[in-house]
Amino acid sequence: MAAVCWLLIHCLLFASSSAHNDFFTSIGQMTDLLFTEKDLVTSLKDYIRAEENKLEQIKKWADKLDVLSAAATQDPEGFLGHPVNAFKLMKRLNTEWAELESLVLTDMSDVFISNLTIQRQHFPNDDDQTGAAKALMRLQDTYQLDTNIISTGELPGHALTVDDCYDLGKVAYSEADYYHTELWMVQALKQLDEGETSSTVDAITILDYLSYSVYQQGELERALEFTRRLLELDPTHQRANGNLKYFEYQLAKQKKVEGREEGEEAEGRGQKGGTRGRPDDYLPERKKYEELCRGEGIRMTPRRQSRLFCRYYDNNRHPRYVIGPVKEEDEWDRPRIVRYHDIVSDKEMEKVKELAKPRLRRATVHDPQTGKLTTAHYRVSKSAWLGAYEHPVVDKINQRIEDITGLDVTTAEDLQVANYGVGGQYEPHFDFGRDDKSVSSLSTLQMSDVQAGGATVFTDVRAAVWPKKGTAVFWYNLYPSGEGDYRTRHAACPVLVGNKWVSNKWIHERGQEFRRRCGLQEMD
């Protein structure tokens, strides 16, 4: 059996890259889009200046002729009686007006359009926009954010317009997510009612979505209310008129069964009436996971907390650390999770990111049904793998991990560098296989700080570890017996604000026979 230690290095920063697919899954690569847009704005301004210069030339010519024509038409014969004036009239009409026509027909947009066409191949697509919209909703749910907080810019960033809120609602609607459809359509309507005038969408369209989304959640009275408001604005709206009759019929039917049991009462809500609130999903520990991400429900008693210490650690007087031991901090006791401070320098982190950025690809997971690697909505990040031979910095980091953990990294996996995207996350999972328990431990190098969110949480024991630049977090995924430690089920919480980079080192069990000996008891 192979065993792996996991060392996780979090590199949280702002960076750029050149890949142009799944942009929303990597903040680091999305930064390229900012520079692309900056170039396009510069090109657009050049085009505007060219058009302004063109119009200025035309205006000067028109002003000159306006003065000339005004004088000439007062005494046409006297004006043309001068041979120079007659010649200049012939010249103007024969050649100068033709030149003006050519100037007017000159397309000043060629350079801008050419630049836009070239850059468009690097633009995000519909999937990126949808992914970013879903990320906002995920952050909204995980951190219990009100739509108004996000929309008005109270969360650091720009405010959302009516059109933005409407588009978010449409994304939710396309996924049959009527809960979020309602939230964002209500916000769009609120901002429209407050006088926002730049919107291209009207209240009628928003109310149409709203009435249907609340109906789907079983709220007939509100659906009827929105429908009536819509018809006040557009009495001829065909669908709304049909819905009005249907909702009134269903509401009357519901009132007849109000005295019955809850099941009968629900039946009276209509054929498609649903339940209010977020729908249940595939993750049974969703509530616990999100609580931990918010820093709630962490299960550490004061007595246990008093037994967690910080210390200088030399790994049994390792020659590299006898004089300069590393700073070790206990993060959790059962299972034991430790953090090592000041493990990687800023220069080393920048080099690792520089090596990884061009090779970042959408992170994958193992599909138990097909046995193949595939992308998944519950893992939103991009990653790259760096071998020790690729650069001395990578080799030094690997050696440092071996020296600190006391484990042999020659059988370990390459250094994985990961960058999380918009609302980037990796939902609860095990690092060891259920059948092939080959990952013994994990070391995570944290290479930057995150302003908000991005914790690593352990859902079984209700623990949370927060990103801190330059540190390494370490834990064992397997017991010394080789059996999986199910207490290490963990997740990477969505990044609320910031850019999270991590480097992971999975150290396999194979090769550790004399460094971490097998325990006599199965769970030792």
Side-chain angles (χ1 to χ4, degrees):
M1 238 186 258
V4 176
C5 290
W6 189 45
L7 176 63
L8 172 65
I9 306 173
H10 285 234
C11 318
L12 306 163
L13 72 159
F14 297 88
S16 63
S17 182
S18 58
H20 56 272
N21 58 340
D22 289 335
F23 277 112
F24 74 97
T25 64
S26 169
I27 296 294
Q29 290 193 333
M30 283 178 65
T31 55
D32 269 358
L33 298 179
L34 292 176
F35 293 103
T36 296
E37 189 170 50
K38 182 180 179 181
D39 289 342
L40 286 174
V41 170
T42 300
S43 181
L44 179 60
K45 287 182 176 180
D46 290 340
Y47 161 65
I48 292 171
R49 279 192 293 269
E51 288 285 10
E52 288 174 342
N53 290 337
K54 170 182 164 182
L55 289 172
E56 185 63 27
Q57 292 181 57
I58 296 171
K59 184 177 182 298
K60 286 180 179 179
W61 203 82
D63 290 343
K64 181 183 71 174
L65 285 186
D66 186 40
V67 174
L68 182 63
S69 298
T73 53
Q74 289 181 2
D75 181 11
E77 290 185 2
F79 180 81
L80 293 174
H82 196 297
V84 172
N85 290 342
F87 165 74
K88 290 178 71 69
L89 175 63
M90 296 301 104
K91 179 187 174 186
R92 284 197 305 273
L93 293 175
N94 182 49
T95 60
E96 293 182 10
W97 276 99
E99 291 172 357
L100 179 65
E101 179 184 19
S102 178
L103 176 61
V104 170
L105 292 175
T106 300
D107 189 352
M108 311 304 291
S109 67
D110 285 350
V111 175
F112 171 68
I113 295 299
S114 176
N115 190 21
L116 180 61
T117 302
I118 292 170
Q119 297 289 2
R120 186 176 284 121
Q121 62 183 313
H122 304 297
F123 280 13
N125 56 25
D126 289 344
D127 289 339
D128 286 303
Q129 183 173 335
T130 298
K134 289 181 178 179
L136 270 179
M137 296 177 213
R138 180 164 60 249
L139 292 171
Q140 180 182 8
D141 293 339
T142 303
Y143 298 105
Q144 295 183 340
L145 302 174
D146 183 80
T147 52
N148 196 61
I149 290 176
I150 300 174
S151 183
T152 57
E154 290 183 43
L155 190 69
H158 291 287
L160 296 174
T161 64
V162 169
D163 289 351
D164 294 332
C165 296
Y166 170 73
D167 287 337
L168 284 166
K170 278 185 66 178
V171 169
Y173 183 84
S174 68
E175 300 286 321
D177 178 359
Y178 302 112
Y179 169 71
H180 287 104
T181 302
E182 177 195 350
L183 292 180
W184 285 106
M185 290 299 177
V186 165
Q187 183 63 32
L189 189 63
K190 175 178 177 288
Q191 292 180 206
L192 202 60
D193 290 342
E194 289 174 351
E196 188 174 316
T197 58
S198 60
S199 173
T200 60
V201 63
D202 56 30
I204 294 171
T205 305
I206 296 172
L207 287 164
D208 196 16
Y209 278 100
L210 256 180
S211 63
Y212 187 73
S213 63
V214 297
Y215 161 64
Q216 285 284 3
Q217 297 179 81
E219 294 194 52
L220 275 171
E221 290 187 2
R222 291 187 67 214
L224 194 58
E225 177 188 335
F226 286 130
T227 302
R228 285 171 175 162
R229 182 176 170 184
L230 190 162
L231 288 171
E232 288 176 4
L233 299 173
D234 182 7
T236 63
H237 197 286
Q238 187 175 358
R239 182 167 49 250
N241 277 297
N243 287 345
L244 180 68
K245 294 178 182 178
Y246 180 73
F247 293 159
E248 287 176 337
Y249 166 75
Q250 291 294 342
L251 192 59
K253 183 179 176 183
Q254 176 179 317
K255 288 181 178 179
K256 289 181 181 180
V257 295
E258 281 181 348
R260 299 180 184 177
E261 294 180 358
E262 183 65 24
E264 295 175 328
E265 196 172 303
E267 184 181 352
R269 290 176 182 165
Q271 298 173 358
K272 295 187 178 180
T275 56
R276 176 114 175 107
R278 289 174 63 185
D280 294 333
D281 64 16
Y282 56 88
L283 189 64
E285 59 203 307
R286 170 77 59 192
K287 182 179 179 182
K288 186 194 303 184
Y289 162 54
E290 292 182 350
E291 284 178 350
L292 291 170
C293 289
R294 296 192 298 270
E296 301 171 3
I298 297 174
R299 192 179 293 162
M300 173 60 72
T301 64
R303 184 175 182 181
R304 288 171 59 193
Q305 181 73 45
S306 67
R307 296 172 181 171
L308 302 181
F309 296 97
C310 295
R311 64 187 68 81
Y312 285 105
Y313 177 74
D314 62 12
N315 192 14
N316 294 321
R317 299 187 61 77
H318 189 285
R320 291 181 185 271
Y321 300 112
V322 170
I323 297 177
V326 296
K327 290 176 280 188
E328 183 185 67
E329 177 185 1
D330 294 331
E331 289 280 357
W332 207 257
D333 55 352
R334 299 188 298 270
R336 187 166 188 250
I337 304 170
V338 296
R339 184 194 297 270
Y340 298 101
H341 292 263
D342 303 323
I343 293 301
V344 284
S345 67
D346 288 344
K347 187 176 180 179
E348 288 173 327
M349 288 186 281
E350 289 305 314
K351 175 53 68 174
V352 168
K353 290 179 285 189
E354 178 187 326
L355 295 170
K357 285 171 197 172
R359 294 155 54 177
L360 288 173
R361 297 294 180 268
R362 177 75 185 269
T364 57
V365 297
H366 180 265
D367 188 333
Q369 295 182 339
T370 64
K372 298 180 180 179
L373 292 176
T374 183
T375 59
H377 63 87
Y378 54 83
R379 188 177 191 183
V380 182
S381 65
K382 285 188 177 181
S383 60
W385 298 85
L386 302 180
Y389 62 88
E390 295 187 51
H391 196 278
V393 165
V394 180
D395 189 38
K396 286 180 181 178
I397 290 174
N398 285 341
Q399 186 61 53
R400 202 168 300 151
I401 293 170
E402 179 169 316
D403 294 340
I404 293 173
T405 64
L407 299 171
D408 189 345
V409 299
T410 58
T411 59
E413 298 180 21
D414 286 342
L415 190 69
Q416 184 203 51
V417 183
N419 179 223
Y420 288 79
V422 183
Q425 63 164 3
Y426 190 2
E427 290 181 355
H429 61 282
F430 296 103
D431 281 330
F432 57 83
R434 300 297 186 90
D435 299 318
D436 177 22
K437 298 180 176 63
S438 61
V439 177
S440 169
S441 58
L442 172 64
S443 182
T444 299
L445 300 177
Q446 306 179 350
M447 295 190 281
S448 72
D449 299 310
V450 174
Q451 291 94 316
T456 299
V457 298
F458 296 75
T459 53
D460 185 72
V461 296
R462 286 187 172 273
V465 178
W466 302 93
K468 185 174 182 181
K469 185 178 180 180
T471 68
V473 178
F474 177 85
W475 69 86
Y476 284 103
N477 293 305
L478 302 184
Y479 289 102
S481 64
E483 290 300 314
D485 187 347
Y486 288 88
R487 299 173 302 176
T488 62
R489 183 171 173 82
H490 62 283
C493 295
V495 178
L496 180 57
V497 180
N499 187 2
K500 178 180 177 180
W501 285 81
V502 301
S503 293
N504 302 317
K505 190 70 175 180
W506 283 280
I507 307 171
H508 287 267
E509 182 182 15
R510 181 170 55 86
Q512 317 307 328
E513 293 83 358
F514 298 102
R515 299 198 182 204
R516 190 189 189 218
R517 295 179 181 277
C518 180
L520 297 178
Q521 297 181 7
E522 187 174 283
M523 297 302 179
D524 188 12

